[in-house]
């Protein structure tokens, strides 16, 4: 417990402003997911700024009072610091013990337990089945004995609950799932599902894999420990930050959909988190090594690629400038160009579309999209099912770009240039 002699230091965390009625709040969010969100009145911002590890709590109070910034009772200030300590937001021994316990528990478990069940989707198996069936009806009718689908691109927006109000992004995501998930290979026709997921959390490594079985409220997806060991031998860093899978929302939502589709018969799954470091090719570096190693170890496997990534995230809801008509038009044009380049198998053009549009941040799923384009076989085809956009959850203005693509295996000459992707449409 903090005392007057301690010099509290706030960890590096995200700060979000939230307006709840007439109340202005400051929300702290831990990007590592080790601490739950905690909210304070916005006036507490000056106190958080002062938690730099250089002063005791009484010294902080005196400094703020002498500068006329904030006059706060010492007992109230100490209580605020205790709340931060209890929530795991101080860089102290209590947080390090919390980190070690969570890390140890995660690494020793053979199962990656659901993290977002009950928050983004139902944790009750029957309710989850109802939710998925409403968005993706008749799973058994979605398989084909014809030319096998190479893979799919889907967003990872939470699906809307049946007969309940939903935000535009959730409704658009449900429509894309229904349209994209057709003509899938049957379980007996694939050896492995590789899920390329968007990683929104910080990390040093461009990719992270795990041999843990992703669990959903309806069961566990099988893993491929032998494949993970093979990758680990060739890429010693590939599991170094395995704890990032604990917060992997994109992979968890994909696991729930796969469980629904294959109903307990899903082939082994290799979950791959694609972080910001995966965007740029690095001659002789880890990104290039990962791509070459994946090509080698998957050479004789029948793989279904599952890409879970989204496009533009703009507006105040994402801490970005207000939306204007011109900005929305530029965002839609950029997102469509990204999808067209992905569908056409042009990784270089895809990278330019993602990164080189003045005034727009790259799509949130850039790393996963580029990784897919680089790993897919030369000459793959694509059916650009739809481009949709929707408003995110919450009161702040925002724009989410969502794409749905069904990829097909190369037909004939892998170098055939006659393939022209269809134009995306706005749903």
């Amino acid at each position: 417990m903090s005392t007057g002699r301690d010099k509290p230091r706030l960890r590096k965390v995200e700060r979000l402003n939230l307006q709840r009625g007439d109340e202005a709040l400051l929300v702290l969010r831990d990007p590592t997911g080790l601490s739950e969100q905690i909210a304070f009145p916005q006036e507490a911002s000056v106190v958080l700024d002062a938690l730099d590890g250089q002063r005791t709590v009484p010294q902080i109070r005196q400094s703020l009072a002498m500068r006329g910034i904030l006059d706060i009772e010492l007992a109230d200030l100490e209580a605020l610091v205790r709340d931060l300590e209890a929530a795991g937001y101080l860089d102290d021994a209590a947080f390090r013990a919390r980190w070690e316990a969570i890390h140890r528990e995660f690494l020793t478990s053979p199962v990656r337990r659901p993290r977002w069940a009950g928050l983004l989707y139902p944790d009750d198996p029957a309710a989850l089945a109802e939710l998925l069936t409403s968005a993706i009806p008749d799973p058994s009718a979605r398989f084909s004995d014809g030319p096998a689908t190479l893979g799919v691109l889907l967003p990872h927006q939470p699906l809307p609950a049946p007969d309940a109000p939903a935000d535009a992004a959730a409704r658009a995501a449900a429509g894309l799932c229904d349209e994209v998930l057709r003509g899938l290979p049957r379980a007996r026709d694939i050896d492995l599902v590789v899920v390329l997921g968007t990683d929104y959390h910080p990390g040093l490594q461009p990719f992270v894999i795990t041999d843990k079985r992703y669990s959903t409220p309806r069961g566990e997806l099988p893993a491929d420990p032998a494949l993970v060991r093979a990758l680990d031998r060739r890429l010693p860093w590939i599991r170094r930050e395995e704890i990032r899978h604990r917060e992997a929302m994109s992979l968890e939502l994909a696991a729930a959909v796969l469980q629904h589709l294959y109903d307990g018969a899903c082939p082994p799954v290799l979950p791959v988190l694609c972080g910001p470091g995966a965007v740029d090719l690095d001659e002789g570096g880890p990104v290039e090594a990962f791509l070459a190693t994946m090509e080698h170890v998957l050479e004789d496997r029948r793989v279904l690629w599952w890409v879970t990534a989204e496009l533009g995230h703009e507006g105040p809801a994402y801490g970005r400038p207000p939306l204007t008509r011109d900005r929305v038009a530029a965002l839609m044009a950029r997102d469509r160009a990204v999808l067209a380049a992905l569908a056409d198998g042009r990784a270089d053009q895809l990278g330019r579309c993602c990164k080189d549009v003045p005034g727009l941040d790259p799509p949130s799923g850039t790393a996963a999209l580029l990784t897919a384009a680089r790993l897919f076989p030369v000459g793959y085809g694509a059916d650009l099912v739809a481009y949709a956009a929707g408003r995110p959850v919450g009161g702040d203005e925002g724009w989410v770009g969502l794409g749905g693509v069904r990829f097909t295996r190369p037909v004939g000459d892998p170098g055939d240039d006659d393939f022209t992707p269809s134009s995306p449409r706005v749903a």
Side-chain angles (χ1 to χ4, degrees):
M1 185 67 65
S2 294
T3 70
R5 297 185 300 276
D6 292 334
K7 297 179 179 180
R9 179 193 299 274
L10 187 70
R11 293 173 48 225
K12 292 182 179 179
V13 295
E14 298 175 356
R15 301 190 194 184
L16 306 173
N17 294 321
L18 175 65
Q19 191 71 35
R20 183 176 294 167
D22 296 332
E23 188 179 17
L25 298 176
L26 177 66
V27 179
L28 298 187
R29 178 181 177 274
D30 182 1
T32 68
L34 299 179
S35 300
E36 300 298 332
Q37 290 186 165
I38 187 171
F40 298 97
Q42 282 193 356
E43 293 80 3
S45 177
V46 293
V47 177
L48 300 180
D49 291 338
L51 301 178
D52 56 6
Q54 302 300 313
R55 292 165 288 186
T56 64
V57 174
Q59 289 170 341
I60 290 172
R61 178 187 178 276
Q62 183 180 17
S63 174
L64 294 175
M66 289 180 62
R67 287 183 289 160
I69 298 175
L70 183 68
D71 189 8
I72 182 173
E73 294 293 332
L74 179 60
D76 293 336
L77 185 57
E78 289 175 336
L80 186 148
V81 171
R82 285 196 300 271
D83 288 344
L84 288 168
E85 180 183 38
Y89 278 94
L90 295 185
D91 184 3
D92 59 7
F95 170 72
R96 286 187 283 277
R98 172 195 292 254
W99 183 92
E100 289 175 3
I102 291 174
H103 201 89
R104 182 168 55 252
E105 179 187 13
F106 180 82
L107 292 182
T108 56
S109 173
V111 175
R112 189 273 186 192
R113 299 184 180 89
R115 176 78 171 141
W116 301 98
L119 297 172
L120 299 182
Y121 64 92
D123 54 5
D124 176 72
L128 178 57
E130 182 183 7
L131 171 71
L132 291 167
T133 300
S134 68
I136 313 168
D138 301 321
S140 60
R142 295 178 178 274
F143 301 104
S144 171
D145 292 322
T149 297
L150 173 67
V152 297
L153 164 66
L154 287 170
H156 44 76
Q157 289 288 314
L159 297 173
D163 303 322
D167 61 276
R171 290 194 301 270
L176 289 180
C177 284
D178 186 31
E179 293 189 61
V180 171
L181 297 175
R182 301 176 187 275
L184 294 171
R186 301 182 188 277
R188 64 172 181 259
D189 295 325
I190 47 180
D191 302 316
L192 179 74
V193 181
V194 177
V195 185
L196 301 176
T198 299
D199 187 6
Y200 290 105
H201 296 89
L204 299 177
Q205 307 303 331
F207 305 101
V208 185
I209 64 173
T210 183
D211 64 353
K212 300 182 185 303
R213 302 186 300 276
Y214 262 70
S215 176
T216 78
R218 301 179 64 196
E220 298 174 2
L221 292 182
D224 192 334
L227 175 61
V228 172
R229 287 195 298 270
L231 289 167
D232 198 14
R233 285 194 301 272
R234 293 166 173 81
L235 304 168
W237 49 266
I238 197 68
R239 297 178 66 184
R240 195 169 294 162
E241 296 175 328
E242 198 168 351
I243 190 68
R244 284 160 58 183
H245 278 269
R246 182 175 180 268
E247 291 295 304
M249 178 188 70
S250 61
L251 295 180
E252 181 171 332
L253 295 177
V257 175
L258 282 166
Q259 185 81 17
H260 174 67
L261 287 170
Y262 286 98
D263 193 23
C266 187
V269 175
L270 175 67
V272 182
L273 275 175
C274 305
V279 171
D280 295 315
L281 284 175
D282 48 0
E283 186 174 354
V287 176
E288 188 177 78
F290 173 80
L291 298 175
T293 302
M294 287 286 283
E295 182 178 4
H296 173 70
V297 299
L298 301 181
E299 184 177 11
D300 297 324
R301 293 177 183 247
R302 299 171 298 172
V303 176
L304 173 65
W305 297 90
W306 194 283
V307 187
T308 172
E310 296 180 352
L311 301 168
H313 284 53
E314 292 289 335
Y318 300 103
R320 291 164 187 164
L323 294 167
T324 63
R325 187 182 298 273
D326 289 344
R327 190 172 182 84
V328 169
L331 179 65
M332 291 177 63
R334 192 281 309 279
D335 284 353
R336 285 172 161 171
V338 165
L339 288 173
L342 174 66
D344 205 21
R346 296 173 290 159
D348 291 343
Q349 179 66 19
L350 172 60
R352 288 191 292 271
C353 291
C354 288
K355 297 182 290 183
D356 298 341
V357 180
L360 293 180
D361 287 332
S364 68
T366 294
L369 295 172
L370 279 169
T371 301
R374 292 162 177 165
L375 284 172
F376 287 175
V378 174
Y380 70 84
D383 176 13
L384 203 49
V385 175
Y387 168 64
R391 182 187 179 93
V393 176
D396 291 332
E397 182 187 29
W399 177 284
V400 184
L402 309 173
V405 181
R406 188 166 45 245
F407 303 99
T408 55
R409 300 187 183 280
V411 177
D413 182 3
D416 185 6
D417 292 326
D418 292 336
F419 170 73
T420 302
S422 58
S423 299
R425 61 176 174 82
V426 177

